[in-house]
Amino acid sequence: MLSDIQISRQTELRAIADIAVQMGLKPDEFRSYGVTRAKVDLQVLPRLAAQPKGKMVLVTAITPTPFGEGKTVTSIGLTQALHQLGKRVCACLRQPSMGPVFGIKGGAAGGGNAQIVPMEELNLHLTGDIHAVSAAHNLAAAAIDARLHHEQRLGAEEFTRQSGLIALNIDPQRVVWNRVMDHNDRALRNIRIGLGNNGPERQCSFDITAASELMAVLALSRDLADMRTRIGNLLLAFDEQGQAITAEQLGVAGAMAAILREAIEPTLMQTINGAPCLIHTGPFANIAHGNSSVIADEIALGLNEIVVTEGGFGSDMGFEKFCNIKARASGVTPDCVVLVATLKALKSHAGVTASEINYPNLAALQQGMSNLAWHIANVKQYGLPVVVAINRFPDDTADELEWLRTAAIEAGADAVELSQAFADGADGATDLAKAVITCLQQQVAFLPLYNPDEGLMQSLQQLARRGYGASEVELSTQAQQQLAQIEALGGNHLPICMAKTQMSISHDPRLKGAPSGFVLPIVGLKLNAGAGFVTAFAGNIMTMPGLGIKPGYLKLDIDDNGDIQGF
Amino acid sequence: MLSDIQISRQTELRAIADIAVQMGLKPDEFRSYGVTRAKVDLQVLPRLAAQPKGKMVLVTAITPTPFGEGKTVTSIGLTQALHQLGKRVCACLRQPSMGPVFGIKGGAAGGGNAQIVPMEELNLHLTGDIHAVSAAHNLAAAAIDARLHHEQRLGAEEFTRQSGLIALNIDPQRVVWNRVMDHNDRALRNIRIGLGNNGPERQCSFDITAASELMAVLALSRDLADMRTRIGNLLLAFDEQGQAITAEQLGVAGAMAAILREAIEPTLMQTINGAPCLIHTGPFANIAHGNSSVIADEIALGLNEIVVTEGGFGSDMGFEKFCNIKARASGVTPDCVVLVATLKALKSHAGVTASEINYPNLAALQQGMSNLAWHIANVKQYGLPVVVAINRFPDDTADELEWLRTAAIEAGADAVELSQAFADGADGATDLAKAVITCLQQQVAFLPLYNPDEGLMQSLQQLARRGYGASEVELSTQAQQQLAQIEALGGNHLPICMAKTQMSISHDPRLKGAPSGFVLPIVGLKLNAGAGFVTAFAGNIMTMPGLGIKPGYLKLDIDDNGDIQGF
C-alpha cells in the first residue's frame, strides 16, 4: 500500500471554494488560502443561528494502547461514507500539534484512504492558528515579567510616575501563567528565568500550546465578543495581597485578542473524496479539554444534516469533556456516539505484548473486553446511543471479530460494525455509516454526568465515581487549599477539566481493562477563569511532553520541489 | 489626520490576484490567501532566471534617533510614486516582528498615506512565516536537549542499542543553538533549563526570532535546495571531543526544511495605490543581517523595471550588510541608494532634546550634518549613486530645508529631494521618484567594502575602519579563541555580520554624529555556517529585546467585528 502522503498527493483535489459553496457558504463568508484551505468568516454565525441544525455524531474510543486504535481514521472514513451515501455531512476535527507530529506519530490527518488532504498542510502550520495561540499566550507571559521587572526596578511610586500606570505589585512567586511552545520540549518543563539583571528571577515552565488555557478559550468561545471577554478574565497571577490579576488588569487582553482575530475562524479542508471538514483549535484531551471548537460545530451544524467530530483519547477523556464542558458552553449535545475498538487493543488491555498481538487469542480478547464494556456503559449513562466501530486490521480473524460483535451487543451497544476505512476509504465505512444513520433516528435525552451548580467538590466526586469508577476522590493538602481559594474567587460552580493519564480509565496507567474501587488522587486544582473550567490534576501530569529516543522528525525531509518525504 | 489603520481600512483594495497578474505572474505561479495576500510559488524562479532584470534601489538612512526618520514610509512612498509615474515597480520589504509591534512602535507597514495594506495583516502573522522560523528553530533546540537527555540517561552504548542511532556525545556546556521567540521577552535572555529530572541542566537563552540564524538562512537562500543544504550545515553544538555537530548530523535538518516549505515563498501585498510589494523574512539589522530575502528580490527584479528595498537602520547597518553579505549570496548589487534624513534627526545628533527639537536651530543642524555627510560618503565609497530624501515634517522651515539640501549636495549627494509621502502618498514622493529615475541612468561600478577571501581578521579590520571609521579593531581573549576555532572549522573566508548598536556609527550609542579614531571592541565571534557568515559582537549586544515601561500592546484591542483598534 502507498504511504499516507503518497495517497494524499495522488488525490484529485476539488477547489476548496467549490467545497465551501457546496456546503452552503456564500462567497463572502469564506476566504480561500490557495485552492486547498479556506478560512470561514464569522459573519456566517448570525445567519446560521436561525437555521435548523444537523445531528452531531461524536467519535470516541476505548482506552488507548500503543497499537493505535484508528479513531481519526474512523471519523474521517465515516464522514467519507456518509458523503458517498449522499448525506450533507461535515467533519469537525482538531488541528494537529507539531509536538506529536515530530515526536511520535508523524501525521495526524487520518491515514490510508481515510484522510484530510493535503495531509502535509494539515500537519504543518495549516493557517497558523496554533502559532497564533502561542504568540498571544506568550505575549501575556512577557507582559507579566516586564511589569515585574519595571515595578521592582523603579519601585511602585516611580513606576507610576514614569508610566502613568498603577503598580500591580505582582508576587513573582505567584505567577500562574506559564509560557507555551508547540513542541515536545522536555528541557523547558522546569526552568529558571530572569537570571542576571533580567529579573526578578523565578522558577516557571513551558507547557505545550495544546495545553494553553488560551487554546481552550479559542475552542469554547461562541464568537469574537465572547472570546474577548474570556481573554480579559484569564487569571495570570496574584499580587502581594493575594488578589487575582487578570489579563484585563495587565492591559494585554486587547492585544491578545488582536493576535487571535484570524485564529478564531475555522479552516475548511476536504476528505479524500471531497467531503468538507472544518479544522479548528487543538486542545489535547489528557491535559486539556480535547475537542474541536464550538464555533466550528456551530457552522457545520447550521449547514449540514450530519456533523462528525471526535473527542481525544477514550470516552473517559475527550468524550466526557465534550459532554460536561463543551456542551455547557455550546448547548450542543451528541445525538449518536461511535466507539472505536480493535482486536489488538483489547488484547493489549489483557496484557498481550507486541510480539504476540497478531495471533488469535480469545481468552485475552475476553479479558480485554472489560475495557470496551466499560466505555459502552459510560456512553450509555449519558443517555446516548452508541455504535461500536471495530477498526479491522488485515490479520484479524473472522471468529474473533464475530465474538467481539456479539459481546459488544451484549454489553449494550446499539449496533456494531466493522470499519476498513484505512484500506478502502468510504467503501470501508459504509456499513458503519448506515448504522449511524439508523441510530440518529432515535430520540435522545442527554444526561450530563454531574451538575456543576452543586459545587466543585460534589462535581469532583461525581466525576471520579461515575466518570472513572473510583470509589472516592482524595485531595492533597495543596489541592484543598486551592479549592478554598477557587471558591473564594467565585469558581465553585465551574465544570471540571481533569488532567489525567489517557492510558487507563483511572489515574494509574498500569491499571488496564476496567479498574474500579480505587481512590482518585487530586494533587492540584487550577482556576481557568477564561476558559470557564477548573483543571484538576490526577497525579503529576506532564503538561509538556518530551521527545522520545527515536523521534518522528528523523524520517522527514523535503525534495527539491518542496514535496515532503516521510509522512 | 486619520490614524494609520483608519487610512488602511478606508483604502479600496485591488484583488491581490489582479496585482499578481499585472506584475507578470502566471495564474499557477501564486496562491491567493484571501483577496489581500498571495504566496508566490518558487516554480517562477527558473522562468525568471532567463529574463532581463530590473534596477535595484536600496533605501537606507542616517543613524537612527528616537524621533524616527521614516525610512519605511519613504520606501513605500517612493514605490507608490514610481508606480504612479507608470513604472513597473515592486517593493521588497521585511515582515514586521511582533517584538517591536507590541513593544514600541505599533505598526511597521509604513504610515499615513504611504502604507502596505491591510496594515494589520502585515503587522500580525501575515502568512505565518516568522512563526514557521520559530517552530523550525525550536525543533532543533528540543532535538538537541532530547538527545542530551536520552544519551546521558542511558549511556552511549545502551542509547545506540535502543535507538539504532550513533551517540553524539554532545557537550551540554557547548550547545551554541539557542531557542527563539517572536516577542520582546527580557526574562528569557538568561535562563536555566532542564531542572529536575529533565536534564542535563544548563544555562541558555532565547533570542528574538529575527536574530535566528535560520531567519538568515531563509533570507539568503536562492531556492529550496540551497535552503536545505544551508539548514544541514547549521552548527548546533560541539561534542565532548570538540567536534562540530550540525543539524544534518542530528537528523533534524529535513524536518526543519519541511516546516519552512511555505515560509520560503514571498508574500505579495499592495501599497495604498495598488503597487505590488513582496514581503519576506524579517532579520533585524543590528543583531542580524537586516534585509529582505534573496528570493523576493530575484522574483521582483525578474518582473519589474525597478525594485525598491530597504536595509535596516543606518547605512552602517542594513545597507552595509546588503552590500557585503546579501549581495555575495544573490549576485545583486544596488543601482541607486536613497538615504533618508530629517531635520529633527540631524538636530538630535547635535544633542537637541525632545522639548527643543521642533524649533529652528541652524547651529545644531550644521553640527548634526556630520552624520548625514558620513552616510553619504559611506554609500559613495561603494561606488553607488545616492539620492538624499529629506522626510519633511509639518513644522520644518523652508530655510533649514534649503540649507540642508545645499549641504547634502556639497557632501557628495547626487541629488536631494523632499519627501512628504506620509501626508501626501505618491504625490509627496514624485520629485524623489524622478530623481531616482535619473540616477538609475548612471553606470555603476560596485565596490564591496572588503574581500572575505583575505580572511576574517582582515575583513574585520576593513569593516571597522572603512565601515565605521574606527582606528582599529580589538578582539577580546574569548574572541581570539573563537577566531582560531572558526578558522579551524573552515569559516575564515566568510563575510562578517556585525552585531552592533544602531544608535551610533560606532559601537557606543553615546557617540553621535560621525565618530572616528575609536577602537572597535569585538567581544565574541560566532560561526553561522548555515547562513554563511560570521557574527561579530561589538560589545554586549542583546539578541532578545525587552518590553519597555509602557509597551505598545496597551493601546491595542479589537471590536466585535474583529477590527483592530489602536494601530
Side-chain angles (χ1 to χ4, degrees):
Chain A
M1 190 164 169
L2 298 174
S3 72
D4 289 353
I5 192 152
Q6 287 171 325
I7 292 171
S8 172
R9 203 167 286 143
Q10 74 177 24
T11 300
E12 272 198 45
L13 292 168
R14 293 182 49 201
I16 201 68
D18 294 346
I19 303 272
V21 169
Q22 177 198 289
M23 183 162 80
L25 289 168
K26 299 181 179 172
D28 62 346
E29 291 173 341
F30 66 93
R31 305 188 304 282
S32 294
Y33 276 33
V35 292
T36 56
R37 293 164 272 183
K39 278 282 196 186
V40 181
D41 198 297
L42 296 199
Q43 64 173 296
V44 74
L45 288 174
R47 173 168 81 82
L48 297 182
Q51 302 279 73
K53 289 202 180 353
K55 299 282 192 180
M56 174 60 84
V57 178
L58 176 55
V59 181
T60 183
I62 60 167
T63 301
T65 72
F67 300 102
E69 289 64 54
K71 186 172 54 195
T72 304
V73 164
T74 306
S75 300
I76 297 167
L78 172 61
T79 304
Q80 292 179 180
L82 288 164
H83 178 73
Q84 189 170 275
L85 289 169
K87 293 289 176 188
R88 284 187 294 111
V89 60
C90 176
C92 285
L93 298 174
R94 287 171 293 162
Q95 183 187 350
S97 158
M98 286 197 179
V101 165
F102 292 115
I104 316 169
K105 50 178 178 176
N113 288 304
Q115 289 192 63
I116 307 299
V117 286
M119 65 91 86
E120 68 273 30
E121 294 183 6
L122 179 58
N123 284 316
L124 299 171
H125 312 301
L126 192 60
T127 48
D129 296 350
I130 293 180
H131 294 322
V133 172
S134 301
H137 184 116
N138 290 332
L139 178 63
I144 294 164
D145 279 297
R147 190 67 168 252
L148 277 167
H149 177 80
H150 292 302
E151 288 193 22
Q152 189 173 85
R153 182 174 63 86
L154 296 169
E157 204 173 321
E158 180 62 17
F159 172 80
T160 296
R161 201 190 62 76
Q162 287 190 26
S163 68
L165 303 168
I166 295 164
L168 292 175
N169 297 307
I170 296 170
D171 180 348
Q173 303 314 317
R174 295 194 66 199
V175 175
V176 295
W177 191 254
N178 290 338
R179 287 174 175 78
V180 296
M181 186 176 282
D182 187 32
H183 279 308
N184 291 0
D185 197 347
R186 178 187 296 101
L188 298 181
R189 279 179 190 162
N190 190 353
I191 65 176
R192 272 194 92 70
I193 63 169
L195 308 187
N197 296 318
N198 307 302
E201 189 178 318
R202 64 185 186 86
Q203 200 106 353
C204 65
S205 64
F206 274 76
D207 299 327
I208 192 160
T209 306
S212 166
E213 184 180 354
L214 200 55
M215 181 64 89
V217 163
L218 196 67
L220 293 170
S221 293
R222 299 183 68 97
D223 53 33
L224 267 162
D226 185 25
M227 180 185 80
R228 177 64 185 81
T229 304
R230 287 169 180 268
I231 292 174
N233 291 340
L234 290 168
L235 174 59
L236 304 183
F238 294 90
D239 70 12
E240 282 162 4
Q241 282 70 48
Q243 298 298 305
I245 303 289
T246 64
E248 201 66 58
Q249 286 169 277
L250 191 60
V252 73
M256 293 170 76
I259 293 177
L260 293 174
R261 61 192 274 278
E262 294 188 5
I264 200 174
E265 301 170 324
T267 300
L268 180 65
M269 294 187 77
Q270 61 190 290
T271 65
I272 278 185
N273 70 340
C277 179
L278 288 175
I279 309 290
H280 206 203
T281 73
F284 290 167
N286 50 355
I287 51 180
H289 79 283
N291 285 276
S292 178
S293 80
V294 167
I295 287 175
D297 286 358
E298 190 71 14
I299 293 168
L301 287 167
L303 295 169
N304 293 277
E305 291 169 85
I306 303 175
V307 173
V308 177
T309 191
E310 65 174 30
F313 300 124
S315 83
D316 53 320
M317 307 294 287
F319 167 82
E320 181 272 313
K321 290 165 178 174
F322 185 105
C323 293
N324 296 306
I325 297 174
K326 186 179 173 186
R328 270 176 70 89
S330 66
V332 174
T333 58
D335 296 292
C336 172
V337 175
V338 172
L339 178 55
V340 179
T342 69
L343 294 182
K344 281 195 224 185
L346 292 177
K347 292 174 193 171
S348 171
H349 274 283
V352 177
T353 54
S355 57
E356 305 287 323
I357 203 77
N358 287 323
Y359 299 109
N361 187 339
L362 192 59
L365 192 57
Q366 287 170 332
Q367 191 186 335
M369 178 65 205
S370 65
N371 186 264
L372 175 57
W374 186 94
H375 285 286
I376 291 171
N378 186 42
V379 173
K380 296 300 290 184
Q381 72 173 330
Y382 287 83
L384 300 172
V386 57
V387 179
V388 171
I390 304 172
N391 185 18
R392 182 179 189 168
F393 281 67
D395 35 16
D396 290 350
T397 66
D399 283 355
E400 289 196 330
L401 291 168
E402 194 48 41
W403 182 89
L404 181 56
R405 180 192 292 269
T406 308
I409 293 289
E410 282 172 6
D414 294 72
V416 183
E417 295 296 342
L418 299 186
S419 171
Q420 295 177 210
F422 185 92
D424 302 329
D427 292 342
T430 302
D431 292 343
L432 176 62
K434 288 178 179 168
V436 166
I437 291 167
T438 303
C439 241
L440 287 174
Q441 315 298 320
Q442 293 189 26
Q443 279 296 325
V444 171
F446 176 78
L447 300 162
L449 201 66
Y450 58 89
N451 179 0
D453 292 341
E454 294 175 5
L456 278 177
M457 199 56 219
Q458 184 70 11
S459 297
L460 270 171
Q461 281 165 350
Q462 292 280 76
L463 181 55
R465 290 175 192 154
R466 302 186 59 202
Y468 314 127
S471 57
E472 54 183 313
V473 61
E474 191 173 85
L475 270 60
S476 69
T477 310
Q478 178 178 288
Q480 287 172 25
Q481 291 165 353
Q482 288 164 332
L483 178 66
Q485 187 182 59
I486 292 168
E487 288 170 348
L489 288 166
N492 193 35
H493 297 128
L494 295 175
I496 308 284
C497 183
M498 189 67 70
K500 162 177 114 53
T501 180
Q502 72 274 20
M503 301 306 284
S504 169
I505 296 164
S506 77
H507 62 285
D508 183 348
R510 294 165 305 181
L511 300 181
K512 298 298 177 191
S516 67
F518 57 90
V519 175
L520 184 80
I522 301 297
V523 301
L525 291 169
K526 185 170 187 294
L527 174 61
N528 292 101
F533 54 66
V534 171
T535 303
F537 294 86
N540 287 315
I541 303 299
M542 289 291 180
T543 47
M544 170 56 92
L547 287 170
I549 192 169
K550 199 173 179 182
Y553 67 73
L554 288 167
K555 61 184 192 326
L556 285 178
D557 212 329
I558 56 165
D559 63 19
D560 289 357
N561 298 320
D563 288 337
I564 290 177
Q565 314 297 319
F567 264 136
Chain B
M1 190 163 168
L2 298 175
S3 72
D4 288 353
I5 193 153
Q6 287 171 324
I7 292 171
S8 172
R9 203 167 287 143
Q10 74 177 24
T11 299
E12 271 198 46
L13 292 167
R14 294 181 50 200
I16 201 67
D18 295 345
I19 303 272
V21 169
Q22 177 198 289
M23 183 164 81
L25 289 168
K26 299 180 179 174
D28 62 347
E29 290 174 342
F30 66 94
R31 304 188 304 281
S32 295
Y33 277 34
V35 293
T36 55
R37 294 163 271 183
K39 278 282 195 185
V40 182
D41 197 298
L42 297 198
Q43 63 172 296
V44 74
L45 287 174
R47 174 170 80 82
L48 296 182
Q51 301 279 74
K53 289 202 182 352
K55 299 282 193 179
M56 175 59 85
V57 178
L58 176 54
V59 180
T60 183
I62 61 167
T63 302
T65 72
F67 299 102
E69 289 65 52
K71 188 173 53 193
T72 304
V73 164
T74 305
S75 298
I76 298 168
L78 172 60
T79 304
Q80 293 179 181
L82 288 164
H83 179 73
Q84 188 170 276
L85 289 169
K87 293 290 176 187
R88 285 187 294 110
V89 61
C90 177
C92 285
L93 298 175
R94 287 170 293 163
Q95 183 187 350
S97 158
M98 286 198 178
V101 165
F102 293 114
I104 316 168
K105 49 179 179 176
N113 288 304
Q115 288 192 63
I116 306 299
V117 286
M119 66 90 87
E120 68 274 30
E121 295 184 5
L122 179 58
N123 284 316
L124 298 171
H125 313 300
L126 192 59
T127 48
D129 296 350
I130 293 180
H131 294 320
V133 172
S134 301
H137 184 117
N138 290 333
L139 178 62
I144 294 165
D145 279 297
R147 190 69 168 250
L148 277 167
H149 177 79
H150 291 301
E151 289 193 22
Q152 189 172 84
R153 182 174 62 87
L154 295 169
E157 206 172 320
E158 180 61 18
F159 173 80
T160 296
R161 200 189 64 74
Q162 288 190 25
S163 68
L165 302 168
I166 295 164
L168 292 175
N169 298 307
I170 296 169
D171 181 348
Q173 303 314 316
R174 296 194 65 200
V175 175
V176 296
W177 190 255
N178 291 337
R179 286 174 175 78
V180 296
M181 186 176 282
D182 187 33
H183 279 308
N184 292 359
D185 196 346
R186 178 187 296 102
L188 296 182
R189 279 177 189 163
N190 190 352
I191 65 176
R192 273 193 91 71
I193 64 170
L195 307 188
N197 296 318
N198 307 303
E201 189 178 319
R202 63 186 187 85
Q203 200 106 353
C204 65
S205 64
F206 275 76
D207 298 328
I208 193 162
T209 306
S212 165
E213 184 182 353
L214 200 55
M215 181 65 89
V217 163
L218 196 67
L220 293 170
S221 294
R222 298 183 68 98
D223 53 34
L224 268 162
D226 184 25
M227 180 185 80
R228 177 64 186 80
T229 304
R230 288 170 180 268
I231 291 173
N233 291 340
L234 289 168
L235 173 59
L236 304 183
F238 293 91
D239 70 12
E240 282 162 4
Q241 282 70 50
Q243 299 298 305
I245 303 288
T246 65
E248 201 67 58
Q249 287 170 276
L250 191 60
V252 73
M256 294 170 76
I259 294 176
L260 293 174
R261 60 192 274 280
E262 295 188 4
I264 199 174
E265 301 169 323
T267 300
L268 181 66
M269 294 188 77
Q270 61 190 291
T271 65
I272 278 186
N273 70 340
C277 179
L278 288 175
I279 308 290
H280 207 204
T281 73
F284 290 167
N286 50 355
I287 52 179
H289 79 283
N291 285 276
S292 178
S293 80
V294 166
I295 287 174
D297 287 359
E298 189 72 12
I299 294 169
L301 288 166
L303 294 169
N304 293 277
E305 292 169 83
I306 302 175
V307 173
V308 177
T309 191
E310 65 174 30
F313 300 124
S315 83
D316 52 320
M317 306 294 287
F319 166 82
E320 181 273 313
K321 290 165 177 173
F322 185 105
C323 294
N324 296 305
I325 296 174
K326 186 180 174 185
R328 270 177 70 89
S330 66
V332 173
T333 57
D335 295 291
C336 171
V337 176
V338 172
L339 178 54
V340 180
T342 69
L343 292 182
K344 283 195 223 184
L346 292 177
K347 291 174 193 171
S348 171
H349 275 282
V352 177
T353 54
S355 58
E356 305 287 324
I357 203 77
N358 287 323
Y359 298 109
N361 186 340
L362 193 59
L365 192 57
Q366 286 171 332
Q367 190 185 335
M369 178 65 204
S370 65
N371 186 266
L372 175 56
W374 186 94
H375 285 286
I376 292 171
N378 186 41
V379 174
K380 296 300 288 184
Q381 72 172 331
Y382 287 82
L384 300 173
V386 56
V387 178
V388 170
I390 304 173
N391 185 16
R392 183 179 188 169
F393 281 67
D395 35 17
D396 290 350
T397 66
D399 283 356
E400 289 196 330
L401 291 169
E402 194 48 41
W403 183 88
L404 181 56
R405 179 192 292 271
T406 309
I409 293 290
E410 282 171 6
D414 294 73
V416 184
E417 295 297 341
L418 298 186
S419 171
Q420 295 176 210
F422 186 92
D424 302 329
D427 292 343
T430 302
D431 292 344
L432 175 62
K434 288 178 178 167
V436 165
I437 291 168
T438 303
C439 240
L440 285 174
Q441 316 298 321
Q442 292 189 28
Q443 278 298 324
V444 170
F446 175 78
L447 300 163
L449 202 67
Y450 59 88
N451 178 0
D453 294 340
E454 294 175 4
L456 278 177
M457 199 57 219
Q458 184 71 11
S459 296
L460 270 172
Q461 281 166 350
Q462 292 279 76
L463 181 56
R465 289 175 191 154
R466 301 186 61 202
Y468 314 127
S471 57
E472 55 183 312
V473 60
E474 191 173 84
L475 269 61
S476 69
T477 309
Q478 178 179 287
Q480 287 171 26
Q481 291 165 352
Q482 289 163 332
L483 178 66
Q485 187 182 59
I486 292 168
E487 288 170 347
L489 288 165
N492 192 36
H493 296 129
L494 294 175
I496 308 284
C497 182
M498 189 68 71
K500 162 177 114 55
T501 180
Q502 72 273 21
M503 300 306 283
S504 168
I505 297 164
S506 77
H507 61 286
D508 182 348
R510 294 166 303 181
L511 299 181
K512 297 300 177 191
S516 66
F518 57 90
V519 175
L520 184 80
I522 301 297
V523 301
L525 291 169
K526 185 170 186 295
L527 175 61
N528 291 100
F533 53 66
V534 171
T535 303
F537 294 87
N540 286 314
I541 303 300
M542 289 292 180
T543 47
M544 171 54 92
L547 287 170
I549 193 169
K550 200 173 180 180
Y553 67 72
L554 289 168
K555 62 184 192 324
L556 284 178
D557 213 329
I558 56 165
D559 62 20
D560 288 356
N561 298 319
D563 288 336
I564 291 177
Q565 315 296 319
F567 264 136

